[in-house]
Amino acid sequence: GKGNYRHFMEKELHEHPIAIGDTLQQYIDAGTRVVGRPPLPFDPATLPRLTLSACGSAFLVAQVARYWMEALARLPTDCDVASELRYRDPPLTPGGAAMLISQSGETADNLAALAMLRAGGQSTVSLVNVPESSMARQSDAALLTVAGPEISVASTKAFTAQLSVMACLAINFARARGTIDEAEEARLTAALLEVPEHAARLMERGGEIESVAAEVAGARDVLYLARGSLFPIAMEGALKLKELSYIHAEGYAAGEMKHGPIALIDPSVPVIALCPSGPLFEKTASNLQEAAARGGRIIAFTDAAGAPALRRFAERVVELPTVDPFVAPILHAIPVQMLAYHVAVLKGTDVDQPRNLAKAVTVE
Ligand code: M6R
């Protein structure tokens, strides 16, 4: 049941810390604090290419994972929505591997992509939240998120659990490929292990997020902007808002603003920015400043180091815990999901069962 929560989604949002923690525990040795290697049908040290396939929010996890696999493990990584990949007939790299990411393990398009990838000679690994699912059974190996059942149609804790597994794999593959040293590996792993605690602190910020939601609930359109590995989280924020509150929203790479979307900017379009301090901070902040100069109302999610610069032009600044940029996508996913939840509650939509949607899309 939902216990004391109003909706399954609210309950499942509160389960982020435990889902992330339980999942990390499966992949990181508690004693040595070293990321282990789950049984895989390929050797990451020599893998020539990884293809990631998923739908919806899981596809956004795949996109974050691509940033990690490329930058940390120097592993060429493709990623695509399953409904496109299955029909695209891409030239698959001999000896390559594919990962199918899916909460349910039953998504029809992703099952079809799995069959196509297998037929194309790829080793296949599924990452699912349901161990006995079709995807788990039909792939060469199955990895699990330990998120517990997810009832709400909107994916929440499964999303951060998927990110947690992909982060572990990126660290492990980087080690196998010799692309990070021991100190860097220890630093990244420590940053990951701190995420459940930070996530737990975020759970206490419901009131603050609710007041941001009040500023967004009346909008017809909302833009979400970010760069780098946070760009897919901007798209996750937009997807969740559309799905739950029926407000039109788009996630954009901040650097793409001046190639079109900046034409939309006026005071009626809230601009939600994910902009923590880090290597891309200055560039993102200057994109946001351009939007503010055109009347855009900037609502920025950042950290203590990023807040002062953003306060100069942003209408709202939400300060999140300071974390290593590597884990920022996991942490930022939580408030954008909470925001979509609170907007939906304010609008009175059916939070757990949005119109026209199914929890698992088992037909094409
Ligand atoms: O079960 P799956 O992870 O394969 O589902 C994929 C999408 O249908 C799912 O993530 C969908 O986008 C969610 N409703 C998003 O909140």
Side-chain angles (χ1 to χ4, degrees):
K2 314 189 262 235
N4 292 326
Y5 295 102
R6 286 170 292 177
H7 302 100
F8 279 106
M9 185 177 177
E10 187 183 32
K11 171 170 180 270
E12 289 163 7
L13 281 167
H14 278 85
E15 288 168 350
H16 271 300
I18 179 106
I20 299 166
D22 287 353
T23 298
L24 290 177
Q25 212 172 38
Q26 289 297 308
Y27 293 84
I28 303 177
D29 186 283
T32 61
R33 292 166 69 92
V34 170
V35 181
R37 165 115 27 95
L40 294 172
F42 59 85
D43 179 0
T46 54
L47 187 68
R49 179 170 287 272
L50 177 66
T51 301
L52 302 173
S53 173
C55 303
S57 281
F59 169 60
L60 303 173
V61 169
Q63 288 193 60
V64 174
R66 177 173 55 185
Y67 283 91
W68 288 336
M69 290 294 177
E70 290 180 345
L72 282 181
R74 313 304 301 156
L75 174 60
T77 305
D78 284 323
C79 104
D80 208 348
V81 286
S83 58
E84 287 301 311
L85 182 60
R86 64 180 289 193
Y87 295 120
R88 222 178 56 225
D89 197 17
L92 297 168
T93 304
M99 275 192 75
L100 302 297
I101 306 175
S102 173
Q103 188 282 132
S104 63
E106 301 296 346
T107 304
D109 279 319
N110 218 7
L111 282 166
L114 166 59
M116 184 276 273
L117 292 158
R118 277 183 73 108
Q122 305 293 288
S123 319
T124 56
V125 179
S126 57
L127 172 57
V128 296
N129 196 42
V130 182
E132 62 281 3
S133 60
S134 306
M135 224 170 284
R137 282 185 278 108
Q138 291 169 24
S139 47
D140 298 322
L143 304 183
L144 298 178
T145 44
V146 194
E150 197 181 65
I151 307 295
S152 157
V153 164
S155 184
T156 53
K157 57 180 179 162
F159 183 87
T160 51
Q162 287 164 349
L163 285 172
S164 303
V165 175
M166 295 311 292
C168 287
L169 292 180
I171 292 174
N172 183 273
F173 289 10
R175 180 201 190 116
R177 297 168 74 83
T179 53
I180 52 170
D181 62 24
E182 244 175 72
E184 173 83 339
E185 183 183 344
R187 200 175 58 74
L188 298 174
T189 310
L192 256 181
L193 286 166
E194 279 170 18
V195 172
E197 185 55 36
H198 289 306
R201 296 277 82 78
L202 286 181
M203 295 305 129
E204 298 155 11
R205 309 275 294 271
E208 189 182 353
I209 303 292
E210 216 177 325
S211 76
V212 175
E215 291 173 34
V216 170
R220 206 186 63 174
D221 307 282
V222 180
L223 270 181
Y224 286 75
L225 299 179
R227 280 180 183 253
S229 61
L230 284 164
F231 166 39
I233 304 303
M235 291 190 278
E236 164 67 2
L239 175 60
K240 283 292 181 290
L241 194 72
K242 281 185 274 212
E243 173 174 38
L244 292 166
S245 73
Y246 317 145
I247 295 174
H248 171 245
E250 296 298 334
Y252 259 96
E256 272 290 288
M257 277 295 283
K258 45 167 83 67
H259 300 283
I262 199 160
L264 285 175
I265 300 289
D266 72 32
S268 72
V269 182
V271 176
I272 298 178
L274 311 182
C275 187
S277 61
L280 297 170
F281 178 80
E282 300 296 337
K283 296 219 182 283
T284 313
S286 95
N287 297 135
L288 299 176
Q289 201 162 3
E290 284 158 14
R294 284 157 187 82
R297 292 160 45 214
I298 313 292
I299 299 168
F301 290 89
T302 184
D303 53 16
L310 296 174
R311 281 211 180 89
R312 281 188 223 118
F313 56 83
E315 181 177 293
R316 270 304 278 268
V317 171
V318 180
E319 216 179 288
L320 303 180
T322 300
V323 295
D324 190 288
F326 172 56
V327 300
I330 311 179
L331 206 71
H332 278 254
I334 297 171
V336 297
Q337 291 180 350
M338 289 167 74
L339 178 61
Y341 171 78
H342 286 294
V343 173
V345 170
L346 284 174
K347 295 203 79 163
T349 57
D350 189 344
V351 173
D352 285 333
Q353 187 50 258
R355 66 187 184 198
N356 309 338
L357 290 175
K359 179 64 179 161
V361 182
T362 53
V363 291
E364 185 174 349

